[in-house]
Amino acid sequence: MDDDRRRVMYSIDEAFTHVGFGKYQGLVLVYAGLGLFAEAMEMMILSFIGQAVKSEWKLSSTQQTLLTSVVFAGLLLGSFFWGFVSDHYGRRHGFLGIALVASVTGLLSAFSPNYLSLVILRGLVGFGLGSGPVFLSWFLEFVPASSRGLWMVVISIFWTLGTISEAALAWIVMPRLNWRWLLALSSVPSFAVLLFHGLSPESPRYLYMKGRSADAHHILEKLAVRNQRNLPSGMLISDKTARIDEEFVNADHTPLLFSTTNKTTVVKSGFSSFSRLLSSRLIRTTFLLWVLFFGNSFLYYGIILLTSELSSGKTKCGSTLLLLGDSQDASLYINVFVTSLAELPGLLFSAVIVDRVGRKVSMTIMSILTFIFLLPLVIIEPVTLTTGFLFGARLFANGTYTVASIYAPEVYPTSIRSTGSGIASAVGRIGGMVCPLVAVGLVSDCHQGAAIILLEAVIILSVVCILLFPFETKGQELTDTLVSDTK
């Protein structure tokens, strides 16, 4: 009887495995990638407008730095907020809010009449840009388990293309026009996300979790038709093993998640999601992810800063990528453009190994390689060697960050997937905020060795966290409950 029953049921993961990755997921990939592309372009603006605004409005160095810090602060808040919206009201509702806030405030910031209005608007842009975990979690829920690592690396290419495109755009715009034009043109991808929002489907896994099994099945049918395949025969179920974590039964089935009349629903749901991240079953993984994302972000922006400072061939100290010197110097745009290219082979390497050796081993290998490339820079090296070492370090550091961004949404259940990965990303933003403050002090005083040792220590801490993760997600199905703590 039980065998007969199993034969007439199939899970969402089994449906995706049966129909494979095809044209339908290709459209999902492009839309999610567009969201990452837009975020990357808006982030890279920080590398180009600071000095121009400072010169035009006679700002102090502190005021110039605030333009960067306020965006990171907005990102920190937005990563949590949009993750919560996505988990409780739908991935598509999250996309709509993200695109509205980012596009409108991004364009309005180009018309800022004064410094205060620019700071406020760029902070709101940062809030709207806390979208990466939402797009990644959404795309993740459409990909078969067997190739999930590969395709999650592929989507990360859109971020790298965004950084390269912004450098190229600045190279064209800044010498000929001004920073306002750069802000306006850089908001175009966010408007594109808004324009094509109506074409984005809701996640069938999210729909089923919310009790909308008919809607989930309808999307799966459309997916199968577009991919020219058939769904398995039988009835759709959320999880073929019907695993229910008793610790979270009440949270998953509470009427508060569906109520539209209770005024305290949002607050209670938010506390419920956060408390689940810190539950006895998840607190170890959650804490380790926070430390890993903090370290990865600190390292990533530290390498960018060192690339600008140490490979420039300049003898002076104190100019950094995030706090620029002459914004009209074409070498600045060339430098950012070339170093951004390092991320492409890093993504290729990640794609090759992530589904073969697993997430934990991949992150460990690339972290060790980053450590090796940075180590010679403890002492002063010729400019060519310095550039080569930093190119390699950025290559593998970006690969580690990419795999961590795959691992985070995989370890959380559907009901808190975007919230959990969003908060981890938000903690990473803190690393991005702290790194310039610490590294600028070291580099400006020409303490290159101390800066490298600090980054190496961060790598060691990150590797320890990776090794302490309680399980591997390679090839495992996504779940609406918790991944079994068996590996």
Side-chain angles (χ1 to χ4, degrees):
M1 179 70 69
D2 289 340
D3 291 339
D4 292 339
R5 187 182 177 188
R6 288 192 190 98
R7 279 196 292 269
V8 297
M9 294 190 303
Y10 64 91
S11 70
I12 292 177
D13 277 294
E14 287 173 332
F16 283 124
T17 299
H18 198 77
V19 300
F21 192 101
K23 294 180 180 179
Y24 194 94
Q25 287 100 328
L27 296 175
V28 173
L29 169 68
V30 171
Y31 186 77
L34 181 61
L36 296 180
F37 184 92
E39 180 181 351
M41 287 195 68
E42 290 285 6
M43 282 297 296
M44 285 303 295
I45 288 178
L46 304 176
S47 301
F48 304 113
I49 69 169
Q51 184 61 35
V53 174
K54 179 182 179 180
S55 299
E56 181 173 331
W57 287 341
K58 306 298 188 293
L59 304 179
S60 66
S61 296
T62 301
Q63 289 175 311
Q64 180 185 352
T65 304
L66 183 60
L67 279 174
T68 297
S69 300
V70 72
V71 175
F72 277 102
L75 282 164
L76 192 154
L77 296 174
S79 295
F80 170 74
F81 179 80
W82 297 118
F84 168 79
V85 170
S86 175
D87 280 336
H88 290 278
Y89 299 103
R91 306 330 190 199
R92 296 185 73 250
H93 282 84
F95 300 155
L96 181 60
I98 288 164
L100 277 172
V101 174
S103 59
V104 173
T105 56
L107 180 60
L108 288 178
S109 64
F111 301 94
S112 301
N114 52 50
Y115 171 74
L116 179 60
S117 62
L118 181 60
V119 168
I120 293 173
L121 287 169
R122 293 314 296 176
L124 291 173
V125 171
F127 180 77
L129 292 178
S131 56
V134 177
F135 285 108
L136 289 174
S137 296
W138 176 66
F139 178 65
L140 180 80
E141 293 173 346
F142 282 90
V143 182
S146 60
S147 59
R148 202 163 55 222
L150 170 64
W151 286 107
M152 290 298 286
V153 172
V154 170
I155 194 176
S156 300
I157 294 175
F158 284 88
W159 171 275
T160 299
L161 293 177
T163 64
I164 295 172
S165 297
E166 184 64 26
L169 181 64
W171 192 354
I172 296 171
V173 171
M174 290 294 285
R176 297 168 177 80
L177 300 170
N178 57 42
W179 60 269
R180 295 182 184 274
W181 278 95
L182 184 62
L183 289 178
L185 293 174
S186 298
S187 68
V188 171
S190 293
F191 277 104
V193 175
L194 182 62
L195 177 65
F196 295 109
H197 173 263
L199 300 178
S200 62
E202 186 54 87
S203 163
R205 185 180 296 275
Y206 169 84
L207 291 171
Y208 197 99
M209 182 197 70
K210 290 297 185 181
R212 298 167 57 185
S213 56
D215 292 335
H217 189 263
H218 178 65
I219 290 178
L220 289 175
E221 286 181 326
K222 291 175 62 177
L223 187 151
V225 170
R226 179 61 64 91
N227 289 1
Q228 298 181 336
R229 302 289 294 273
N230 295 318
L231 288 174
S233 59
M235 182 179 67
L236 175 67
I237 61 172
S238 177
D239 190 316
K240 68 176 181 181
T241 59
R243 291 172 293 177
I244 301 294
D245 191 319
E246 293 180 359
E247 182 179 359
F248 300 136
V249 167
N250 291 335
D252 281 339
H253 294 84
T254 174
L256 290 175
L257 298 182
F258 301 93
S259 172
T260 58
T261 58
N262 193 324
K263 299 298 184 181
T264 62
T265 296
V266 174
V267 175
K268 289 185 178 181
S269 296
F271 281 123
S272 174
S273 297
F274 190 76
S275 64
R276 292 182 64 186
L277 296 175
L278 301 180
S279 69
S280 59
R281 291 287 301 278
L282 280 175
I283 187 169
R284 175 181 173 184
T285 300
T286 295
F287 178 74
L288 291 173
L289 276 176
W290 290 357
V291 178
L292 177 63
F293 270 76
F294 180 94
N296 282 349
S297 184
F298 188 98
L299 178 66
Y300 179 78
Y301 286 104
I303 292 174
I304 290 177
L305 184 151
L306 289 172
T307 299
S308 176
E309 186 65 30
L310 302 182
S311 67
S312 63
K314 296 179 181 179
T315 57
K316 68 175 184 178
C317 298
S319 63
T320 72
L321 183 61
L322 298 179
L323 301 174
L324 300 175
D326 184 3
S327 63
Q328 302 300 319
D329 185 357
S331 64
L332 167 66
Y333 313 118
I334 298 172
N335 185 45
V336 176
F337 183 87
V338 172
T339 54
S340 295
L341 293 176
E343 298 184 6
L344 291 175
L347 292 173
L348 177 61
F349 184 76
S350 301
V352 170
I353 68 172
V354 67
D355 278 327
R356 297 184 180 183
V357 302
R359 284 42 164 165
K360 292 177 62 176
V361 175
S362 296
M363 289 188 286
T364 302
I365 290 173
M366 290 187 288
S367 295
I368 292 173
L369 290 171
T370 305
F371 184 97
I372 292 172
F373 271 97
L374 283 178
L375 190 59
L377 298 179
V378 171
I379 60 175
I380 304 297
E381 300 285 355
V383 172
T384 303
L385 280 178
T386 296
T387 302
F389 285 133
L390 288 172
F391 188 95
R394 181 165 178 179
L395 185 158
F396 292 112
N398 182 65
T400 304
Y401 202 117
T402 298
V403 178
S405 297
I406 297 171
Y407 185 77
E410 286 182 328
V411 298
Y412 289 120
T414 301
S415 57
I416 57 170
R417 180 166 294 123
S418 293
T419 301
S421 55
I423 293 179
S425 177
V427 174
R429 306 300 186 184
I430 299 175
M433 294 172 63
V434 172
C435 178
L437 300 177
V438 176
V440 166
L442 291 174
V443 176
S444 63
D445 292 333
C446 298
H447 296 313
Q448 175 179 327
I452 296 297
I453 290 172
L454 176 62
L455 295 181
E456 298 284 50
V458 170
I459 295 174
I460 293 173
L461 178 62
S462 297
V463 171
V464 170
C465 290
I466 294 167
L467 296 177
L468 290 176
F469 280 125
F471 44 75
E472 172 62 59
T473 59
K474 170 193 170 186
Q476 290 194 16
E477 295 182 355
L478 297 180
T479 178
D480 295 334
T481 57
L482 296 181
V483 176
S484 177
D485 192 355
T486 58
K487 295 189 176 182

